Each structure stands twice: as structure tokens, then as C-alpha cells.
Amino acid sequence: MWRPCGTFDDTYEKDISIVRTPAQWSITVAGLAVLAVLPLFASGYFMTTVNLIAISIISAQGLGILTGLTGQISLGQGAFMGVGAYTLMMLMNYLGFSFWLALPCAMVSAGIIGLIFGLPSLRIKGFYLAMATLSAQFIIPWVITNVRPDLTGGTSTINIQYPSLFGLDLSKQSSMYYVIIFFTIAILYLTRNLARSKIGRAFVAIRDNDLAAEIMGLEVFRYKLLSFTICSMYAGLAGSLWVLWVGAVNVDSFTLHESIWFLGMIIVGGLGSIPGVCFGVIFIRVLELFVQQISPPIAALFPDAIGAAIKSGLSPFTFGLVILLFLIYEPRGLAHRWEIVKHFYRRWPFSY
Amino acid sequence: AEKPASLSIALLGDLTGPYASVVGPMAPGAEDAVQYVNEELGGIDGVKLKLHVRDCTGKAALGLQQYAELIGSTPKPLFFGVPHTPTAEALREKIIRDDVIGFFPGSVPDLYPQGNSYSFYALYAEQSAVFIRWLRANWKEKRNPRVAIITWDQAYGRAMLTPEFFDYCKKMKVDIVAQELFGVRDLDLTTHMVRIRSKNPDWVIANNTGSGPLAILRAAKELGMKIKFANNVGGDWGTIRLDPELFEDSISVMHMASFDNTDHPGIKKVFSYLKKNKRGIKEQTAFYVLGWQYVLMIHKTVSDAVAKVGWDKLNTAAIKSEMNNLTNWEPLDGVVKITYTDKVRHSHWLRIYKIKGGKLVPPGGKLGGSEFVEAPDLTPLKFR
Amino acid sequence: MTAEDQTKLKVEDLNLSFGSVQALMDVSFEVNGDEILALIGPNGAGKTSLLNCVSGFYHAQRGRVSFEGHDISRFSPSKRAKLGISRTFQNIELYTGLTALDNLMAARHVYIKYGPVAGSFFFGKARREEVENRKVVEEIIDLLEMEEVRYRVVESLPYGLRKRVDMGRALALHPKLLLLDEPMAGMNVEEKEDMARFILDIHELWKIPIIIVEHDMGVVMDICHRVVVLDFGLKLAEGTPAEIKQNEKVIQAYLGKE
Amino acid sequence: MLTMQFLVTGILTGGIYALVAVSIVLIYKATRIFNFAVGEMLALGGYFCYSFVVWGGLPLWISLPGALVMAVIVGALVERLVLRPLLSQPLLTIIMATLALSVLLKGIMLMVWTGYDVGFPKNLLPGKTVLVGMIAMSHELLWAFGITLVAFAGLAYFFMKTRTGLKMRGVSEDHELSMACGVNIVTIFAVTWMLAAVMGTLAGFLMGYRLALAPSYTPLLALKAFPAVIFGGLESIPGALIGGLLIGVIEGLVGGLIDPNLGEVSAYILLLLVLIFKPEGLFGLKRIERV
Amino acid sequence: MVREVVDILAVNQIEVFYHNVIQVLKGVSLEVREKQIVSLLGANGAGKTTTLKAISGLLKAEAGMVTDGDIVFMDKRIDRDLAHKIAKMGIIQVLEGRPVFQHLTAEENLRMGFIGSGGEKDIQKHLELVYGLFPRLRSLKNRTSGFLSGGEQQMMVIGRALLSSPKVMLLDEPSLGLAPLLIQGIFKIIKQINEERKTALLLVEQNALAALEIADYCYVMENGRVVMDGPADQLKENEDIKEFYLGLSKVGSRKSYKDVKHYKRRKRWLS
Ligand SMILES: Nc1ncnc2c1ncn2[C@@H]1O[C@H](COP(=O)(O)OP(=O)(O)OP(=O)(O)O)[C@@H](O)[C@H]1O
Ligand SMILES: Nc1ncnc2c1ncn2[C@@H]1O[C@H](COP(=O)(O)OP(=O)(O)OP(=O)(O)O)[C@@H](O)[C@H]1O
Ligand SMILES: [Mg+2]
Ligand SMILES: [Mg+2]
């Protein structure tokens, strides 16, 4: 842990606070200010993307806690988002719940479902556990499509009735943005605290050495379940926001593919790092858009017949390739790069 | 009044990804049609069409982002063509809210087109109903015909299973004896077919495309079952060519003239573009023609609207009123036939085919000619 | 009752087997007052297994373990830790991804009471508890002279320092009984001296009984009050270091002739 | 009677699942990597075979070995270009790389074979449906099953009788230690990936032949293999076979007798139960827990 | 630098970094001659293991790199070679902490060590040799190695290295965690290996007394540097070695661990 040169802590209280120096305070305030005025300048397209990224960050932070901190691989994050999404939709559409009431319910229901799929973690680890959570990805959509299709809409899409929040027109991305970004910042703050609290240490202890953790007085299983619950509550929150963001809900949005990519995002970002998770989400989401944007013009450079083939395959090809290259050249994730930059800044003006 | 430099229209959908083989050809179709409009018809009153194609690869989130991009661009596209899939479903509300015309798959009952949106063709239930009507008309035996349904377990596959359809079958005295659903990636349908076999149906109908019908027929063949098979638009060229022998004598209900009908002037025109732009056999599907239909519809309605109100007053409302006035409109000399009204946003005109030697030909019998027929109206109750 | 005649830990007729391997056979012994007890024996004698039975990682097929008069045979490891049994590990089982400080803080777990919600907000009680426990941990860091490595991730620490962190973690639990599994393995004499001094300091400061498994006879003879010798699951001998040193059986099975 | 039919079909289909499962197991055994690209690799193999047959007009007995050779090359390339540069990296990073690889391969397939379905010409495999009483056994599935058995016998020989087999087992436990023992882990990895690619290609061909090939759904076959792999245990090759068959049977029986919709889900529900009661699968290695 | 012909392994002024940032070795040189036992002493974290790994090529697997200097084995430079190549040439490292292939049986573990190209017969021959040295292993050969006790694992690990008939064996703390009787045994066997099989040994040890007893030559490392070297007999007489590594007080008798002062004299060469 390095602080800017010349900064010392004289009390333990100071040592454990997040924002320490005046410089850090001003950066934080400036950052928040930029976020607050962003919609005034940005296009709807940009805001849509920002919203998606912010929602994904929430979900990915949840997975970050479970996989990055606690070391339990989960391939069910998408499905847990789906649980949140459908709960919110049903509570609001059929029971007329207000958003503020439906949201915690959605989080809790996702949390409970996550907890259930976390139960096998009592005895299994690693990829066996990943597969147990994978089953969530099959069982949950099955339940959504088959058990009460009259409520969930089965395989088809159901529209959500937009709630009114503080008079914001939530069908507009720029208004939606304030709701989403509020939760994202809150989640980041809470996650940061959780990670450095007793709970966070327990999680990492379990990740690094669950046997020793048990012997050192940690109820390992309880904490694993707690981790699963928190993770899927985050997913539930993200899923709820997702419904508002899209305005509709369909099982196809919460596929295994999504879940695997959430895992991908936190790996690219750097496991166990909160800013890393954010970077990972941004990296993947932006790259996704970027390759979509550049492939048509590139395909246009080729003669017609080849061009058509290239058009369809180029964006996945580029996407895969960029990530591979990234992994090969930055295998420790974006968080590592970030640490290096921070390290450099903190040592400044004295270099190595 | 001042003419715009060009007229933007958009096509947005899952051109690659799980639905590629179905909806993918719509993009080349629209591209070719835009070329046709711009080069042969001189655009709309001299204004060229500009087509923006976006591929959402099967992800609703990406679709939403791309929609936001397109709707925010200037000039704003006046039309949004969105072929099928959950992406389309998710975008529907947004497009209806925004002041543009949406060209949509309205064939899934819950997504019946509303507001400024229009559907591609008849509802899937109606397509099946056309078959049922044909079957009944040509049924010789005393007892009721027995029909089994087997279809994909997702929105598209299930779209034919509406209460209106079942009512219609009852009314027509056709017994639905089995109803099986299967997954898109199921390797083996023997199980389903065995269950169907035990119900002893005369016909098996589906609302599938691509590998779906193929898997059904292959499983039947393996079990040594002789089944008569009927399918909706999905049973078009793109599917049949995967294994023409297997499809022999199947029935297919579609909204367009067949690619086999090479004497048809419209089909000829389409083929000249397929050839010119080096499209392969894979593009010869209903959705390629749908691309044409979309662009030609824009050409027609915008031209009419401009003629009426002029370029400066051209707006969505003006175009919409033209759309609602399309009656028995037959672009490309009748490759398709369209009627939209204020209330009914899907066209009822369909044709029924039989597959003979890998070709789509009229099945003969009563109501089995080569003309477009009007499907029974099975518009979902709540949208009437 | 004085500290001397008080039985802290009582192990009775412990039997433990893994399939055909009998790791412990009717082993009984006691730890009284605040003595330092050495557990020695050849490799594979069952010393670690015995510690595992005491700390709850293994459950013996037969026999009883009682701590401060209570039968704890059926208790889970974490529950025993809460009762005050704490240990180090032969192969250093640290939380490799945490800093040395956090390794110690993690061991304070049983003393920290706030829950996940308070933890997420990190106000008031949570913060206060963190600071209090941090003070305790800092004392241990001070005691073991680990100030330098406080913020180092233990993964990158050399072997010797990791052993020290392992010891620190065991101490952070403020145990009533400390089990040390080969605390000095892989150290040179100088480092062993440091370690011996730490152990003696702890013993002196906290007045707690300590069980040490150790192969270095020099250390055992110098700092332990009593020695228990195991040999392939059986208790071979028990006595003061001086007695053990002379015991023929022990020499033959374990010590060898110098 | 129906039950028998469902059982037989289940077993036969399970053979194909087993091939995919063993492709996953092989790589996991040697490298602890869970290969997320398995679906795409098998689809690619199927496409190779398709190209030889349809584009090259070659008979199957040349095309299939040809495709296997191509698969071996792909396996080797994957190892060389993706895994080797990532050698001493954290496991999850490498697993992520296989995920990226799957997207990349999908891109390649889209470029070369487009997104449309393609089918093999029929009658490549001789024979026709065998009817035993009312029970039909498709000759395609019988072939598939035969190919599966042969492939597994070959693998069993390889692991039991060759030193490379032992080395693979060693490498799977500890890379550094294996290197210290003079094992060229890079070669072992390459061999593993090649073997896995071969198994995948067989599955890809059989799947493509039965249904059709498309970059969008052929890779999904892998999803059937996941529960099979866990049933059998991630490290066990016989487990993969049995797991595959088991999944086939469960799907067949539950799908046939109860509800076809339940087929796939039932496999996963059962998987959950197995994991709770037998955490290492039926044949997987027990984790050694010592402190 | 004039190199004598009898050197089979020479490390010349190597510098080693982990992750390109942490410098661990700051110019280390040492030589191992034919049939010689060389021991390497040093405090925890001095870089002994790192030195061995640099030689055996295992550093690369840990994101470590030799950035300067070179390592020469039988007149061939090997610091760029991969670990398995180096092993094939005849340098085998026995890793610290006796890592085993947990799920393999003891005999399978031994077999993993076989590098040569010979068939089953050859392996059997080597196995017999190892069982000859460690009779206990024979009775354990079908046991899952993960469950063996520390000492048993240590024997197995040394045996495993022997299976490849190395020219140079790099032993990293072979006596760690072993009972006194076994330590005597292990050192005897090390000596035996050296004498019978003419294997040169580079031995990292904390048990300086035993190491100096069997070694011909000795290096002492501190903080990534070699701070002292010389023939073993000579070093045994050195005051500092006596105090810090052998635990002898000035007078020559062993001092008690009980009497260690809180503020001790620190090593002279430190910093
Ligand atoms: N989990 C286990 N499963 C099977 N056998 C075990 C297990 N743990 C220990 N053993 C066996 O029990 C015996 C005693 O082992 P233990 O680790 O207690 O020995 P030890 O006295 O600590 O030896 P060392 O001094 O080498 O550490 C050994 O033979 C070992 O193989
Ligand atoms: N993989 C690694 N990454 C970063 N630093 C490392 C790594 N391995 C070792 N180090 C550092 O290198 C230094 C030397 O370590 P090394 O293991 O070579 O010491 P040693 O002399 O073998 O010590 P010991 O006697 O404790 O085994 C230590 O400070 C250690 O922290
Ligand atoms: Mg032990
Ligand atoms: Mg070392």
C-alpha cells in the first residue's frame, strides 16, 4: 500500500479510510460532478451505452465478490439477473408495486435463489461448482418459460410499465441514467467497504485457503452462502435496472452467454479488484460496440462476395482476437496496469 | 420546397447469431432493393434512399444501443425494419413511441403491430389456418382429419399456438391430437416423434425453419413413419434445399411467389439482382424478398406522400396514412401482395405450396391454385 | 486452584485411521497449566494428525478431546477456534492473497461482531471495532517484529517470514491454547533463536499452554517443560526433556546416536 | 415398449455427448483448463469434414480422416498461439482465453461458411434404420455409437499403456513440478489439445450429419456435454463415456415419458443432486485435504 | 575470467528479477565441480531458491527472469533454455517443500521422474536402485502420495530426482521437517549418491552443521549476494558462521535457546 510521498497516517482510523488526501477528495468531487452533468451534453446513444455499462458494473461487482474475492466460480449471474428482472416486472405489472418497493423485493428474491444454487458449495469447489451454478442457467429460464407462462410471458417479451420516479420520464435514457448511476455509485461504495471489512477478509481467506480459514475460526460455509447471496442480490438489482433500461423483459437476455461474459469481464479487469471489475466491464462493452462499428467499413473494402462473408464474421473475429491479444500481453488484467499507473503517481516525483 | 439530399431508412436485427439463417438474408435483400430503387427508379422523386444496416447478433442490449445510435443520428431514419427475434420484441415499444414507422414481425400474437408499426405478413396462426382450410376442403373421409403439432419451444415456434387457431381448427372440424415442443439444439427428435406416432395423426404441422423441420422429418424417417408434413413460411427454399428429398410432398404456406417460378417477371427481377451482386443460393429465402418488400413499400408510400403533401410537409403521419391505404398492392408484379388498413396491420394474403422434386408448386385441389388467397382473420382478440 | 494443577487439554484414547493406515492408536495425554509441551516422533508418527484432532480438522474414530473440562470431540474447527484453540501449520497455510496485516486481522474474525450491512457502510460500530482490533494486531506485529512486512502480500514473502506471519495469525486469535506445528522448520540457527524467543515471550506474557511439534532437539530440550513422544500412532514415552533424552526407545526410534 | 425406444435412443445419442465430454475432460485433465471453446472447435471440425465432402467432392473415408488431420492442426495451433504464450499465467486467465477463442472461431466460421445452415449430403454412412420389433435404431446413431466406442478404446489404451498418459496425469497436478521432472509440458499440452480436437471433430461431424451445421447452434451441443462431464467427474475418461450415456438416457426417458421440455433441464437438476451427494462426480478424483 | 576445466556448472554474476520489478539476485556467482558437493547457506529470503531455479530454468514459470550474467553447464550456456531441456541435459532440481503429485501413487511419482528414452526395463532398473536407497518407499509404492507423511514424501522426492540419473542435483532444503534420525539418513544417502553415482550436488540447507559436514565447498548468501565462500572445513572455523549458522557461542559450546537475548549482535555483513 503506497500513499503519495510525504503522506503518513498518525492514527489507525486514518489508515483505514478510503479517501484520504485533499487531492483525492477533489478528484472524487470532480468525478461526481462530471457524472451529474453528463446527460446534458451526451447523445442518447452515448447515454444508452453508459447505462448499459453502469448496469453491467453492478452485476459484475457482484460476481467480483463471489469469484474475485471468495474464489467461487459462478456461471449463473445472467440467470440471477433474470430472477431480479422478472420479479420486478411481475410485482410492478400485476401487483402495482411501486419501484422502490419492488426493487428490494427483486433483490431479495434473486438473493434467495442465488443462495439456493450456492448450497452445493458446501462440498464442491472450482469447476464442479461452476457447473452447479451453470444449472441455474438452465433451470431458471425453464421455470420462467414453463411454469407460469401466463405471468412471465413464456418465451415472449413482456413490456414494463414505467414507474414515475421524482417526475423523471424513465423511457428516456438520460433520465434513466440518473437512477442507474445512483445505484452504481452506491454499489461501488458499498462493495469497497465490504471488501475491506471483516466480511471481505473472510471472503479472501476462504478463497486463498478454506481449510485454514475453518481452523482459524471462520464458518466457511456460512460465508460462502453469504457471498452467493450478496452476489445474486447485486444481480437482482442489475436485472431490475435492466428491465427499466430496455423497457421490456425476455428470457433471451439472460443467457449462459451473458453469464460467461460477466466472468470474462472480471477476469479481463483483474480478479479481486474493484476498479478492475469496472475497467473490465467498460473494456468489453466498448470493444463490443467498437467492433460492430468498424466491421462494416472494413468489409466494404473487400470485393462483394468476400465482403459479405467478412461482414458477418468480422466483428466476432476481431472481438475474440483483441481479447486474446490483450490476455497475452496483459494477462494480469487491467487492474494490474492501473496499479502500475497509481504506483507511479504515488511515487512521483521520485522515480524508482 | 427543398428536397433532402437523401432519405435515411434503417434495418436493424440479428443478422448473425442464432437467428442468422432466418433473418440474415433480409439485409442483402434490402440492399439490393435500395440499389434497384436508386438506380432503376431514380430514387423517390430524385431523392436517393440511404440504408443503414445494424447487426445486433442476437443481443437485445446491443440492439437497444444501436437503435439509440440510429434514432439519434441526423437525419433520423424514417423507417425501421426489424426482422424477428427477441431483439425486435424489446425494441418494439421504443419504436412505437418514437415518431418513426416500424416494419416488424407482428406475427407473434403478443406483438401485434400497433401505433406506427406494420407487420411483415400474415400471423403464423393464420398461415397454419390456411393450411387447415385447404386440408378440410380436400378431405375425403368421414372422420375428422387428425393433426399433430410439433414446433420449437420459443417465441417464434410457439407463435402458431394461439387460442384463435385452436378455435378455428375446432370450427373446421380438424382434430389437434398432439402438441410437441422441442429445443432449438435438440439432436434427436425420435422421442417426440414416437409420442406423435402413438397418436396416429394424418398430418404433422410445424412453425419452424432451418434445421427444425429437417430434424422432424429425419426423425420420422428413421422411425419408419410415413408422415405428411406442413409448415409455414419457414418451409421455404432456404430450408428445403438442406435436403429436398426429405421434403417431398410437404406443404408450405408462404406470403410470396416462389423462386422456382422463374417466368414470373418479379422473380426475374429479383434474380437479376441476386446474380448481379453475386448472392449465393443461401440468400434465396423468404426473408430476402422481405428485404425487397420493405424497401419497395417505403418507395411506394413515401412517393405517394410526397406527391400529396410535398417534401416540406413530409412526416410520419403523412406516410402512415399512405401505409394504411395500401390495398391489394402487388409490388414486383405480384411477388407479394399487401393490404394494410387503419385497424389491420398485417396483410392477409398468402399462397399455399407443395414441394415436388425440390420445387415449390401449387398443391392442386380446392383452394390450391397459384393465386394469393386471403387468410382467415385470427387477429388476437385483444387487438381487434 | 493454581495454574499448575489445572488441566487445560485432555486427550483420551484417541484413535484415528485412514483406511488401512492407523495414524493414532489409543493416544492419551494432558496439558496442564501453562506448560510448553513438545510433541516429537519420527515422520509419519501422527504428530500433525494429533494436532488436527485437537484443532478439529480431523475427527477421531474413537476417543475424547476435552478442553477446559468440556468435551469438544464433536465440535467443528471454527467452534474450537472460538473456544481459544489456535494453531500454526506445518506447510504454512496462509491466505496468500492478503497482506500480512490482513492475515492477522482475518484471525481477529471471532472477536469482530458487526455484520455485512454494517460492514458495507463502515460507519460507527464497524469502524470502531476495526480500529480496536487493529490495535491488538499491531501489538502482535510489534511483538513478532513484522512492521516491515505489514503491507506486503504474503505470497511474495520468503519462507521464514511467512512462518512468522503464520505464527502471528495464530496469536491474533488470542488463544488459550497454542498449537505450533514445526515452527522452526527451514530456518537457520539465528532465525530459530528469534523464533524461540518469540515463543518464550508469548508464553511469559500470556501465560498460556503451548504444544510444539518440532524436530530440532536443541530447541525442544531447551524451551520445553515436558515431552510426549509418538511413534507410528503409539505414545512411546512421556517425560521431562532430560528423561526423554536418555530413553533408549526414543533414541532408537527417533533421536539416533549423536 | 415406448420406454425401451426412449432408452435405446437415449443411449445412442448419449454416445455423441460422450465424445464432446471426453474432449473437455482431456484438456481439463492435463491442464486444469476448462475449455469454453469446445463447442466451436467441434463445429469447426464438422465444417472441415463438410468442406471435404461437399466442396472437395471426396468420399467420406478420405474426408473424415482429412478433417481429423485438420483438427489436429487446429489443436496444435491453438496450443501454440494461445496457450503457450499464457503458460505461467493464472488459470482463470487461460480459461478466459478459451472463451475469447470461441468467439474468434465463431468469427472464422461465419467468414468461411457464413451463418446459414449447411447440411451433409445424405447416405454418406451406409446402412439404414434397424428395426428390432417396434424399436427403431437409426443407422446414423448406430454409427455414431460405434465411432464413440472405438475412440474411447483408443484413448483408454493411450492412458493405460503409454508414458505420455502418465505424464499427462502428472502435468495436470502441478506444472512447475512436472517441468522440474523434465517433462516438456508444452508437448503434453499440444498432444492434449490435438486429441481433444480429434474427439470434438468426430462429434461435430456426427452432429452435422444428423442435423445440419451452423455457427449459431452446432456449438451449443457442448451444453449437453457439460452435465455429462460433471456426472463422470472432470478428470475421468471412462466417466465422460458413462456421463454422456447417462445424460442421453435421462433426456430420453424424462423427455419421452414425462415431458420433452423437461429433458434437458432434468439432466441439470439431477446434476445438482449428484454434486450435493458425490461432489467429485461419479469417477472424479477426491480432493486431498491436509494441513 | 579463467575457468577451470573441471567445472561442470558455473553461475556467473547473474541478476534476477521477478515480474520485471523485484530484484532478488544482485550478481551471484558460484561454481560446482565434478563429483563435488557444494552447499549454499543463507538466511530466509536470501535468494537461495531463486538461484537454484535460475539454474534449472524454473524461474520462467514464475515470471522471473535472469536479466544479466550467464549460467554455463558443461560449456554450454543454459540460462535461456527451458526447464525440460535443462532437465534432459542432466540438471535436476528437487524443489523446496517436497511438492508431490498428490493424486498419483508413490511409484507413479517416481516414474514421473524418468526422463530417458528407455523402455519399461530401464525404468524398473532405476526403480530398483531407488528402492535400494529407500527401502521404506517400496512398501509405500501403491499409496496415494498426497497422504504420505513429510519424511516419506521427502524420500520419494529425492528418489524421483534420482530416477533420471542426473549429472547435477540441485537439492533445496532436503532436511526440512525431517526427524533427526532421518536427517542423518538423508545426508548419508546424499553422500552415498555423490560417491556411488558420481553425481555433483548443489545443496541448499538450513541445517548448516550437517551441510558443512558433507560439503566440499560452501557459499553463503545474504540479500541476493554471495557474501562468503570457501572450502567447507575452512568455513566451519569462521566466527560468524559459528555463531549464526552453527549456533555455537564464542567458547565453542552450543548455547541454549532459552538464553537468547532480546537485542542480539547482528551479522556483520548485513547491510
Ligand atoms: N488425510 C489423510 N489421509 C490418509 N492418510 C493420512 C492423512 N493424513 C495423514 N495420513 C497418514 O497418517 C500418518 C501420520 O501422518 P502425520 O502427518 O500426522 O505425521 P507427522 O507425525 O506429522 O509426520 P511429519 O513429521 O513428517 O510431519 C502418515 O502415515 C500419513 O500418511
Ligand atoms: N514468485 C515470486 N514473486 C516475487 N517475489 C519472489 C518470488 N519468489 C521469491 N520472491 C522473493 O525473492 C526473495 C528470495 O526468495 P528465495 O525463495 O529465493 O529465498 P530463499 O533464500 O530460498 O529463502 P528460504 O530459506 O526462506 O527458502 C524473497 O524476498 C522473496 O520474497
Ligand atoms: Mg507433521
Ligand atoms: Mg528457499
Side-chain angles (χ1 to χ4, degrees), chain E residues 14-260:
Chain E
I14 55 164
E15 301 201 348
V16 167
F17 282 83
Y18 281 112
H19 304 295
N20 294 325
V21 280
I22 312 163
Q23 184 170 15
V24 176
L25 298 190
K26 303 157 186 164
V28 169
S29 301
L30 49 86
E31 292 166 10
V32 179
R33 299 183 185 174
E34 238 169 338
K35 299 176 213 158
Q36 204 181 32
I37 301 181
V38 174
S39 77
L40 185 57
L41 306 180
N44 290 128
K48 305 179 296 292
T49 302
T50 306
T51 309
L52 295 197
K53 284 193 174 163
I55 298 172
S56 65
L58 287 174
L59 265 190
K60 292 163 200 107
E62 278 184 57
M65 216 166 65
V66 179
T67 52
D68 206 1
D70 58 31
I71 301 171
V72 178
F73 175 61
M74 310 234 287
D75 299 324
K76 267 215 297 284
R77 199 173 156 178
I78 57 165
D79 45 300
R80 297 271 149 75
D81 285 335
L82 293 173
H84 65 94
K85 273 223 182 100
I86 296 175
K88 277 225 165 72
M89 289 178 197
I91 301 181
I92 297 289
Q93 180 176 3
V94 178
L95 296 170
E96 182 177 23
R98 45 173 179 269
V100 300
F101 298 106
Q102 294 201 345
H103 290 282
L104 302 189
T105 63
E107 179 161 319
E108 281 172 333
N109 260 279
L110 294 178
R111 281 169 180 270
M112 276 299 289
F114 185 76
I115 292 182
S117 51
E120 184 59 28
K121 255 212 199 110
D122 216 17
I123 300 182
Q124 282 302 341
K125 203 183 79 199
H126 279 85
L127 280 175
E128 282 310 315
L129 274 172
V130 171
Y131 289 145
L133 281 171
F134 303 101
R136 184 162 168 71
L137 281 185
R138 196 192 295 275
S139 61
L140 295 173
K141 71 181 184 184
N142 290 324
R143 288 262 289 275
T144 303
S145 62
F147 293 127
L148 297 181
S149 84
E152 295 160 348
Q153 288 181 345
Q154 187 68 53
M155 295 187 234
M156 190 178 77
V157 166
I158 294 178
R160 188 171 59 201
L162 282 176
L163 221 68
S164 53
S165 335
K167 297 198 180 67
V168 179
M169 232 165 127
L170 313 176
L171 282 171
D172 202 350
E173 311 207 11
S175 75
L176 187 127
L178 295 192
L181 202 57
L182 262 173
I183 296 183
Q184 293 166 22
I186 290 275
F187 278 103
K188 216 161 68 214
I189 285 169
I190 291 173
K191 192 84 191 152
Q192 200 180 341
I193 292 167
N194 172 251
E195 277 166 4
E196 287 175 7
R197 312 185 82 183
K198 309 281 176 253
T199 310
L201 285 140
L202 178 55
L203 176 67
V204 167
E205 252 307 332
Q206 296 292 7
N207 192 333
L209 200 60
L212 284 175
E213 206 56 56
I214 62 167
D216 302 304
Y217 200 86
C218 181
Y219 293 86
V220 179
M221 275 183 85
E222 279 300 323
N223 260 330
R225 292 197 179 83
V226 172
V227 288
M228 192 187 286
D229 65 309
D233 322 332
Q234 219 168 314
L235 283 196
K236 263 191 271 185
E237 301 309 316
N238 180 296
E239 285 302 316
D240 286 320
I241 295 285
K242 264 191 192 161
E243 176 163 6
F244 296 116
Y245 286 93
L246 303 178
L248 303 174
S249 67
K250 289 249 171 56
V251 210
S253 69
R254 203 179 65 80
K255 63 179 188 226
S256 168
Y257 284 102
K258 247 195 165 116
D259 310 331
V260 179

Side-chain angles (χ1 to χ4, degrees), chain C residues 18 21 23 42-49 58 90 182 215, chain D residues 290, chain E residues 143 147-151:
Chain C
F18 303 100
V21 183
N43 294 107
K47 306 179 294 294
T48 302
S49 302
Y58 289 162
Q90 183 168 4
E182 307 201 10
H215 285 304
Chain D
R290 279 190 75 175
Chain E
R143 288 262 289 275
F147 293 127
L148 297 181
S149 84

